[in-house]
Amino acid sequence: MSRDHVQSAPSAGAEAPYLALLARDASTEAYEQPVLLARAEGRPADRIAALEEAKLLALRVRAELEGRRRREAELSALFETAHDLAGLRDLDAVLQAIVQRARSLLGTDVAYLTLNDRARGDTSMRVTEGSVSARFQQLRLGMGEGLGGLVAQMTRPYVTDDYFKDARFQHTLTIDAGVRDEGLVAILGVPLMLGPHVIGVLFASDRRARVFERAQIALLGSFAALAAAAIDTAHLLTETRAALAGLERANEIIQDRSAVIERASDVHDRLAGLVLRGGGVHDVAAAVSEVLDGIVEFTETDTAPAQALEASRAEGHAVRHGSAWIAAVAAGGELLGALVLRGHPGLDPVDQRTLERAATVTSLLLLARRSAAEAEQRVRGELLDDLLGARDRDPRLLRERAARLHADLDATHVVLAARLDGPAADADEEAAARRRLVAAASHLAATRQGLAAARDGGTVLLLPLGTAGSATDLAVRIARRLGTAVRQPVTVGASAPVTDLAARPETIAAAYAEGRRCLDALHLLGRAGDGAAAEDFGFLGLLLAGERDVAGFVDRTIGPVVSYDERRGTDLLRTLDAYFACGMSPARTKEALHVHVNTVAQRLERVGRLLGADWQSPARALEVQLALRLHRLASPESR
């Protein structure tokens, strides 16, 4: 006790009953009992005066102890909150990192954050990423003005795909001038909430019209929650430092909580490291398992306890379920799964917050990966759509776009058309199956350095042939892989191998048409769930296909011979015609052509090198004869 608190000491023995009251933390009313008892017993006045003095001193000691306990509890609460953002000391750096990450994952041109200034009664731009306009970066807005004012009033996200055409919020000359100077069109804003209060708004925007998806809105909302937590943490740290400066026993309290804070800081560092290294949800679960000394697992929504999961989502905290703890992994209103902690039935508040923070990080990882996968799938589909439409004919740009997706347009490729062939109960189930097919095809294309896109009610894939053997082998394997992924039969038709795609992108559209005809032929033959290439059908493909590709059949069958004659001025086609007309007899052929038999033999040997050694087999010979007949009918000389 300080000297200021010490007055004249009471007489010996007067303090004894009050020490007992202090020891058992008695109520204030109990301190009147010794004085009342002394008066009732008729004790001397000096004895009663000593008891009165001892009572006052004891009450002052009690008040001092109560104040210290209260300050200790407040400081403990400050530290339990501050540990969640342990190691993050620079608020501007934290907010800048959040804005940068939001812009990167949403793929927007600009991201920025505004904070309310209570002292000035307005809102100011705090951090920006991707902005190029000084006027925009220095904007100050009146409360309730602009799109941000509408977000603050509604306390929920708001999106506009065309800012200047949207009349649902209050436009001002200052704000509109800044937005126009920056060139922004589509804007998404989400509130930064501390409890029921809006302290600012986090924005993501594009310089073109754009529709933000629900998952992207939820993702930006998660970043807004982190930004609000960072701001709150910074304020708490400031208050904590002020409290520490006024408390002599702060070191004892820090020591009492040091183990907890160190564990929480370790969790924060581990989770931050996992995110930066691109770790997955199971890596997060493993890291938290070590820290909490239990078993943490990520489970899908349909396998987690439904009632506990919904309670955790609604309350925003981990909940007890039997001997386990359930923390919902959610983003916005969407449940993505749960973190389940087993083997640790008793959780203190810090450990519970650790589990909840791990669930938040898990939801961000899931949303980030979903957004990244959807973005890559969209980019791959756009490139393939451009190739199929031959809209971009600059070989250098095509190669660069493909290289960014780890695809090589100079390699030999096969175009595959895939279609679901299983029965669907209704339109919703069929649409869901098609989405699964597109997702599976996109994943397959990404792992094989190819491209994929949704087209004509199915999917089209452009895959490198590589060491797959033949187009037929590739088609069979892809049909099997896609069928397994979507859990129903998938039929795949493949084109013949195509090359030099960057210089001749129009060949991809022709190859896709060939793959679709092959797909139709498989369907007509009752081979649902199988895969085949155009080369497997020969002239049967002409008979089975809905549209007859005569030129393609002739080119595939005798195209090398036609090209050879055109380049060299030789007479291989006429030799082939005569050879088949003479019953495939070289002796009779030389008489029909009036040349030496050795000349016939040499020409047929050249044909064999151009068409392959099996060109005289019954099946190939039939196709060659049909192609010769079609070529004659299509040539101008025959008309």
Side-chain angles (χ1 to χ4, degrees):
M1 187 183 304
S2 64
R3 294 182 178 180
D4 293 340
H5 294 167
V6 179
Q7 298 177 349
S8 58
S11 62
E15 70 278 4
Y18 294 105
L19 289 176
L21 292 173
L22 286 170
R24 62 185 178 88
D25 197 18
S27 64
T28 304
E29 293 76 8
Y31 286 77
E32 297 292 339
Q33 295 301 321
V35 176
L36 295 175
L37 182 62
R39 286 175 177 163
E41 293 176 351
R43 295 297 181 93
D46 59 345
R47 175 64 177 174
I48 294 174
L51 286 171
E52 288 280 3
E53 185 177 356
K55 178 190 73 173
L56 295 176
L57 287 175
L59 287 173
R60 294 181 65 180
V61 171
R62 183 182 184 279
E64 179 70 17
L65 290 175
E66 181 66 26
R68 288 177 180 270
R69 280 197 297 269
R70 184 173 61 255
R71 288 192 294 272
E72 180 180 352
E74 292 171 353
L75 188 60
S76 176
L78 290 174
F79 270 94
E80 288 181 3
T81 304
H83 91 277
D84 287 337
L85 295 169
L88 302 179
R89 297 292 183 264
D90 187 343
L91 177 60
D92 283 335
V94 175
L95 297 180
Q96 189 69 50
I98 289 172
V99 170
Q100 288 173 349
R101 189 70 171 169
R103 179 197 177 201
S104 173
L105 288 181
L106 268 69
T108 57
D109 297 323
V110 183
Y112 51 101
L113 183 148
T114 62
L115 289 181
N116 296 343
D117 188 338
R118 293 185 179 180
R120 297 183 55 165
D122 64 1
T123 300
S124 63
M125 193 75 70
R126 183 61 179 264
V127 292
T128 65
E129 180 66 17
S131 171
V132 295
S133 167
R135 177 189 297 182
F136 182 78
Q137 295 166 10
Q138 298 168 9
L139 275 179
R140 296 194 73 90
L141 326 173
M143 290 293 189
E145 294 178 351
L147 188 147
L150 181 60
V151 173
Q153 292 173 0
M154 297 168 61
T155 66
R156 63 175 183 267
Y158 182 82
V159 62
T160 177
D161 56 0
D162 194 330
Y163 173 87
F164 291 99
K165 294 181 180 179
D166 198 332
R168 290 174 288 178
F169 52 86
Q170 180 184 351
H171 288 264
T172 69
L173 293 176
T174 302
I175 300 174
D176 286 358
V179 173
R180 186 177 289 107
D181 203 19
E182 190 64 50
L184 303 181
V185 177
I187 303 177
L188 164 63
V190 295
L192 276 65
M193 304 288 296
L194 281 182
H197 304 293
V198 177
I199 62 171
V201 180
L202 178 62
F203 298 88
S205 58
D206 263 345
R207 296 187 176 94
R208 63 188 187 282
R210 170 177 177 170
V211 176
F212 288 93
E213 299 174 356
R214 182 180 301 175
Q216 294 172 322
I217 296 174
L219 181 60
L220 193 64
S222 298
F223 277 110
L226 287 179
I231 295 168
D232 193 31
T233 298
H235 293 164
L236 290 176
L237 286 173
T238 301
E239 295 175 12
T240 301
R241 294 190 186 101
L244 284 172
L247 293 173
E248 297 178 357
R249 299 182 60 190
N251 188 50
E252 296 178 9
I253 299 172
I254 293 173
Q255 290 176 352
D256 291 340
R257 302 298 298 172
S258 62
V260 173
I261 294 175
E262 182 178 355
R263 187 168 70 251
S265 178
D266 179 51
V267 171
H268 178 274
D269 292 342
R270 291 192 185 198
L271 296 182
L274 284 174
V275 172
L276 293 175
R277 292 194 304 271
V281 295
H282 298 293
D283 298 319
V284 172
V288 180
S289 296
E290 293 182 15
V291 175
L292 297 184
D293 193 23
I295 300 174
V296 178
E297 296 177 339
F298 172 77
T299 63
E300 301 291 343
T301 304
D302 53 358
T303 59
Q307 188 173 357
L309 182 61
E310 181 58 31
S312 175
R313 185 193 66 79
E315 297 173 12
H317 297 291
V319 299
R320 185 78 174 268
H321 179 72
S323 61
W325 286 83
I326 308 295
V329 176
E334 181 182 4
L335 276 172
L336 305 175
L339 288 185
V340 181
L341 170 62
R342 296 184 177 88
H344 201 320
L347 282 184
D348 62 25
V350 175
D351 285 343
Q352 184 175 345
R353 290 293 304 277
T354 297
L355 183 62
E356 293 163 1
R357 174 53 57 86
T360 300
V361 172
T362 301
S363 68
L364 289 174
L365 286 175
L366 290 173
L367 287 176
R369 297 214 167 168
R370 178 194 292 178
S371 298
E374 290 174 351
E376 181 175 346
Q377 176 180 326
R378 184 169 58 253
V379 172
R380 288 181 183 274
E382 289 173 353
L383 175 55
L384 185 51
D385 283 338
D386 288 348
L387 289 170
L388 286 167
R391 285 185 285 270
D392 189 347
R393 294 181 177 275
D394 187 332
R396 180 181 61 82
L397 292 179
L398 288 173
R399 288 190 179 95
E400 289 178 358
R401 290 175 65 188
R404 287 194 289 270
L405 298 171
H406 307 291
D408 180 10
L409 294 183
D410 293 323
T412 300
H413 284 73
V414 174
V415 179
L416 304 105
R419 186 171 62 198
L420 292 165
D421 269 313
D426 51 40
D428 290 340
E429 182 179 333
E430 182 178 358
R434 287 184 178 181
R435 287 194 295 271
R436 290 196 301 270
L437 177 61
V438 172
S442 299
H443 175 73
L444 191 60
T447 58
R448 294 178 61 93
Q449 290 75 53
L451 305 174
R455 204 172 185 90
D456 300 322
T459 58
V460 54
L461 298 94
L462 178 68
L463 299 180
L465 185 59
T467 58
S470 66
T472 300
D473 295 335
L474 182 61
V476 171
R477 281 202 294 273
I478 296 303
R480 188 180 303 120
R481 290 277 298 275
L482 293 179
T484 301
V486 302
R487 300 185 296 278
Q488 69 181 77
V490 175
T491 308
V492 175
S495 71
V498 289
T499 58
D500 203 13
L501 303 182
R504 297 188 301 124
E506 66 276 1
T507 60
I508 299 180
Y512 174 56
E514 184 177 74
R516 288 199 66 196
R517 285 192 295 272
C518 182
L519 192 64
D520 292 338
L522 285 169
H523 182 71
L524 289 171
L525 292 172
R527 292 174 57 183
D530 201 355
E535 61 192 17
D536 297 323
F537 295 101
F539 74 90
L540 289 176
L542 290 177
L543 302 177
L544 296 172
E547 297 179 1
R548 312 291 191 248
D549 182 16
V550 173
F553 171 73
V554 171
D555 185 62
R556 288 193 304 271
T557 307
I558 61 172
V561 176
V562 175
S563 299
Y564 190 87
D565 275 353
E566 291 174 350
R567 292 195 312 271
R568 303 294 184 89
T570 53
D571 217 6
L572 297 183
L573 285 175
R574 194 163 68 90
T575 301
L576 275 176
D577 271 331
Y579 180 64
F580 286 117
C582 294
M584 301 176 68
S585 168
R588 290 199 295 273
T589 302
K590 63 102 175 175
E591 294 175 357
L593 295 176
H594 306 291
V595 296
H596 195 277
V597 70
N598 288 340
T599 301
V600 174
Q602 291 170 2
R603 292 179 181 177
L604 295 179
E605 183 181 355
R606 172 63 63 185
V607 169
R609 286 199 292 270
L610 292 171
L611 299 184
D614 65 338
W615 72 276
Q616 297 191 73
S617 66
R620 286 292 306 280
L622 179 60
E623 292 184 0
V624 171
Q625 292 179 72
L626 178 59
L628 287 169
R629 177 66 61 86
L630 292 171
H631 179 69
R632 284 200 308 274
L633 293 173
S635 62
E637 293 80 2
S638 64
R639 296 174 187 173

